[in-house]
Amino acid sequence: MNTMTLLTTSKYRWGEAILRQLFFLCALISVLTTVIVIGILAVETSSFFQQVSITDFLFGTEWRPMLEPKAYGILPLLGGTMLIVVGSSIVALPVGLACAVYLSEYASDRARNIIKPVLEVLAGIPTVVYGYFAISFVTPGLRFVFDDVQIFNAASAAIVVGIMVLPMVASLCDDALRSVPLSLREGAYSVGATSYEVTARVVVPAALSGIFAAFVLAVSRAIGETMAVTLAAGATPNLTLNPLESIQTMTAYIVQVSLGDTPSGGLAYKTLFAVASVLFTITLVMNLLANKVMRKYQEVYE
Amino acid sequence: MKTSPSSNGESLGHRSASLRRRHLIAALFKALCIGFTLFAVSVLGLLIAQVGADGLPWLDTQFLNNFPSRFPEKAGIKSALYGTLWVVSLTALIALPMGVLAAIYLEDYAPASRLTRVIEINIANLAGVPSIVYGILGLAIFVRFFGLERSVLAGAMTMSLLILPVIIISSKEAIRAVPSSIRLAAYAVGATQWQVVRSHVLPAAIPGILTGVILALSRAIGETAPLIMIGALTYVAFTPEGPMDEFTALPIQIFNWASRPQAEFHELAAAGIIVLLVVLLTMNALAVFIRYKGTQK
């Protein structure tokens, strides 16, 4: 009897160990994904740099990989992306923060239960739908108000990208504001502060790191946004500060290359990976920063 | 908090004026917050109204049953609908078990080691990688290296990698929400780790896990860029019969129509968007329902 129990126990342990390894492998796939992404981008980009110098790529102001004379300066694509980032931030950051302040400081439970799901639905709408909204509603609207708006323009894309990241900003800022202990608010109210003063001078400063992380993640999302930008902002690598002109972002260029019949292995094909490397590096650094800040602020109040 | 300079020397009338000003600012600020929130909410209404006005006249059984066409009045989304169904089903088959098992490992098995921390940080960052980068990964690995071409399988595997971090993160939260007293009670009567997980942790966590999985899958349904990268933007006038067939998907068909200059095709895109949104809202409602059922216990 005693040996029997021992035997079945050791049998069980075998199964347990195998399952444990299986679960571990599943968790490891995520690390593997990162390693493969970085590997592919590194290999293809370094072979791109054997034909184009790094300084030409990083500081060149002309991007003409398909037409003669060819030029491989990424600044126009980077500038296009930055135009989208700035425009969408102007929409998403103040409105998103204001939504969060309303939700966490003012809204009744009933209002919260209506607005939160609406924001969730907004967040779940596919980006291609926002692209359609840009070309069918925002661009005609802009052309109605301003005179010299091109059919494809940065402003229209930036506005919808801002609307797109707004729910994320609102939800993350809401979390950050609500993690501020009630006692801080009560302390401020008890010395006679108004609701505005409590929010602006106590709650928001206390939640600042979380709000900062939300903003960084929003900008990172805007940088990586693809479909709305491809549909609405155009395909003209154009180093400009005028949001009413047609531009091209890094992501839109990647889509353009993959839509065309670019022969794989050629230099034009490798530009895809070089641009993707820049995109990946920027977003990775921003995400690392945001996640680090968020972990830090979670430690403060938990 | 810095205290504002006191106004001891001022007269009573002055002080009440400043108090009025402070209350006015507070009221204006509240109005501003409400206004911005209403703006965000009304955007959703505006978007739905625009899509509905453009697309509803085109939405009929012919639209659902026809293949794409050069002629807008004959064009439909049958192949896109079937393609999306294929890709999402396969994605669920691949990503669901892997994501849940990874979450189980991280919550119940993983030692507090450096490697575990690397995995956790890595998953958080993967969730923020632009979807188009996953498209490049899919193109290089599944389409080229494994030679899967523009198949449903290549699309599903790319999508699986894309939503895996989302599934892991939400499953982890659901598993973490299971009270440790349940685990301890099971261990106390001699259950092994797997028995604890299988019979006690998972059943309690399943509503939360399902909610997260459904939301992740609805993200996969709407993703366009990765599928364009692996080459799914082609004229497909048949429904896929197996995982190795070529395919198109709803968001791709919408993108295709929306990027054409003719107004008729834009309206077709709007009709396609209505179908897509109906699918997504149904899934969202299902997720909310499961979450509601789960919290009732």
Side-chain angles (χ1 to χ4, degrees):
Chain A
M1 175 68 199
N2 235 340
T3 36
M4 271 266 302
T5 331
L6 262 177
L7 270 178
T8 46
T9 311
S10 67
K11 224 178 182 178
Y12 253 121
R13 293 278 149 80
W14 259 106
E16 294 278 325
I18 291 171
L19 283 175
R20 186 197 176 87
Q21 293 306 320
L22 177 72
F23 299 167
F24 174 66
L25 281 182
C26 287
L28 209 60
I29 283 176
S30 71
V31 179
L32 203 66
T33 308
T34 310
V35 171
I36 292 177
V37 167
I38 293 176
I40 291 168
L41 292 179
V43 168
E44 297 282 352
T45 306
S46 66
S47 101
F48 171 76
F49 282 139
Q50 279 165 5
Q51 282 160 285
V52 177
S53 87
I54 295 186
T55 43
D56 284 355
F57 176 69
L58 287 181
F59 302 109
T61 56
E62 301 265 357
W63 182 257
R64 240 183 355 258
M66 319 274 193
L67 303 165
E68 297 293 341
K70 292 189 172 164
Y72 300 96
I74 199 175
L75 282 184
L77 298 182
L78 217 52
T81 298
M82 284 309 132
L83 216 50
I84 300 293
V85 165
V86 171
S88 62
S89 299
I90 290 173
V91 176
L93 304 190
V95 179
L97 182 57
C99 275
V101 167
Y102 174 71
L103 284 174
S104 103
E105 308 298 314
Y106 293 113
S108 64
D109 280 351
R110 238 184 96 196
R112 212 182 140 79
N113 284 341
I114 297 171
I115 292 164
K116 276 289 244 189
V118 169
L119 289 178
E120 271 172 34
V121 170
L122 264 182
I125 288 178
T127 62
V128 69
V129 177
Y130 282 104
Y132 175 81
F133 187 60
I135 52 178
S136 70
F137 185 84
V138 181
T139 303
L142 285 174
R143 285 164 74 88
F144 184 74
V145 178
F146 301 101
D147 287 333
D148 46 354
V149 183
Q150 297 180 359
I151 289 259
F152 298 109
N153 62 80
S156 173
I159 290 171
V160 291
V161 172
I163 294 170
M164 193 183 312
V165 297
L166 193 160
M168 192 181 82
V169 176
S171 151
L172 289 175
C173 287
D174 182 38
D175 291 345
L177 293 174
R178 287 164 72 86
S179 74
V180 175
L182 213 56
S183 58
L184 285 183
R185 293 183 181 86
E186 284 162 350
Y189 276 122
S190 70
V191 294
T194 64
S195 64
Y196 165 74
E197 287 156 355
V198 170
T199 303
R201 300 205 195 148
V202 178
V203 181
V204 168
L208 208 56
S209 51
I211 294 171
F212 173 75
F215 284 7
V216 174
L217 283 179
V219 167
S220 162
R221 267 283 298 274
I223 292 175
E225 209 317 288
T226 309
M227 297 321 296
V229 174
T230 307
L231 274 171
T236 338
N238 179 4
L239 193 57
T240 176
L241 285 175
N242 183 356
L244 303 179
E245 283 180 26
S246 171
I247 51 134
Q248 186 168 40
T249 64
M250 295 187 282
T251 49
Y253 172 74
I254 296 173
V255 169
Q256 190 195 5
V257 173
S258 64
L259 284 182
D261 287 317
T262 316
S264 73
L267 190 57
Y269 180 74
K270 281 175 190 154
T271 58
L272 195 156
F273 294 92
V275 173
S277 296
V278 175
L279 177 71
F280 180 75
T281 310
I282 296 176
T283 50
L284 184 71
V285 168
M286 298 188 77
N287 292 342
L288 279 171
L289 177 74
N291 284 327
K292 194 167 181 157
V293 170
M294 259 203 283
R295 265 199 304 280
K296 225 172 179 174
Y297 97 78
Q298 274 168 352
E299 279 161 17
V300 175
Y301 291 121
E302 274 174 17
Chain B
M1 173 192 161
K2 265 195 281 183
T3 48
S4 47
S6 71
S7 44
N8 267 342
E10 290 172 52
S11 72
L12 196 69
H14 256 108
R15 218 187 291 172
S16 70
S18 105
L19 191 62
R20 255 204 313 259
R21 200 175 56 88
R22 284 170 57 204
H23 278 298
L24 184 68
I25 290 176
L28 284 177
F29 178 70
K30 185 178 177 184
L32 185 82
C33 290
I34 294 177
F36 274 169
T37 309
L38 284 180
F39 165 78
V41 172
S42 60
V43 164
L44 181 65
L46 205 61
L47 197 149
I48 289 173
Q50 174 76 29
V51 169
D54 289 355
L56 272 182
W58 291 82
L59 203 61
D60 50 20
T61 46
Q62 192 193 327
F63 180 71
L64 295 174
N65 280 315
N66 280 16
F67 291 112
S69 163
R70 280 186 296 130
F71 307 104
E73 60 277 4
K74 284 188 188 167
I77 51 161
K78 189 175 185 184
S79 49
L81 209 53
Y82 277 79
T84 288
L85 209 62
W86 265 98
V87 171
V88 168
S89 313
L90 273 182
T91 304
L93 281 179
I94 299 168
L96 175 67
M98 283 204 315
V100 175
L101 294 187
I104 291 175
Y105 176 79
L106 290 172
E107 279 303 312
D108 274 45
Y109 284 80
S113 68
R114 206 189 155 86
L115 179 63
T116 307
R117 250 192 61 210
V118 168
I119 294 177
E120 301 252 6
I121 293 175
N122 181 59
I123 288 170
N125 284 311
L126 270 184
V129 169
S131 60
I132 195 158
V133 173
Y134 285 97
I136 289 179
L137 177 73
L139 178 70
I141 296 296
F142 302 129
V143 177
R144 295 269 153 77
F145 185 76
F146 286 122
L148 295 177
E149 301 297 325
R150 302 164 166 183
S151 62
V152 171
L153 189 60
M157 288 173 107
T158 309
M159 281 300 180
S160 297
L161 289 185
L162 175 75
I163 65 168
L164 206 51
V166 188
I167 293 186
I168 295 178
I169 290 171
S170 60
S171 301
K172 267 178 57 178
E173 269 168 27
I175 291 172
R176 195 179 311 150
V178 177
S180 59
S181 56
I182 291 184
R183 292 187 178 84
L184 294 176
Y187 280 126
V189 294
T192 64
Q193 193 160 23
W194 170 238
Q195 285 168 338
V196 171
V197 168
R198 190 197 56 196
S199 313
H200 300 281
V201 177
L202 273 185
I206 266 184
I209 292 176
L210 274 185
T211 306
V213 167
I214 291 173
L215 292 180
L217 286 179
S218 63
R219 182 166 167 210
I221 289 182
E223 275 295 348
T224 323
L227 294 184
I228 289 183
M229 290 303 302
I230 65 164
L233 189 80
T234 42
Y235 175 73
V236 176
F238 53 85
T239 54
E241 302 281 328
M244 295 313 289
D245 283 356
E246 282 194 9
F247 72 104
T248 183
L250 272 180
I252 292 195
Q253 191 59 56
I254 293 166
F255 171 71
N256 184 349
W257 281 330
S259 58
R260 296 186 192 201
Q262 299 94 329
E264 291 91 347
F265 281 111
H266 280 199
E267 288 162 13
L268 276 178
I273 287 172
I274 294 175
V275 175
L276 182 66
L277 289 184
V278 166
V279 173
L280 291 178
L281 285 179
T282 312
M283 292 180 70
N284 268 15
L286 191 66
V288 169
F289 176 73
I290 292 175
R291 186 160 55 189
Y292 174 72
K293 277 271 173 193
T295 51
Q296 266 191 329
K297 277 187 193 168

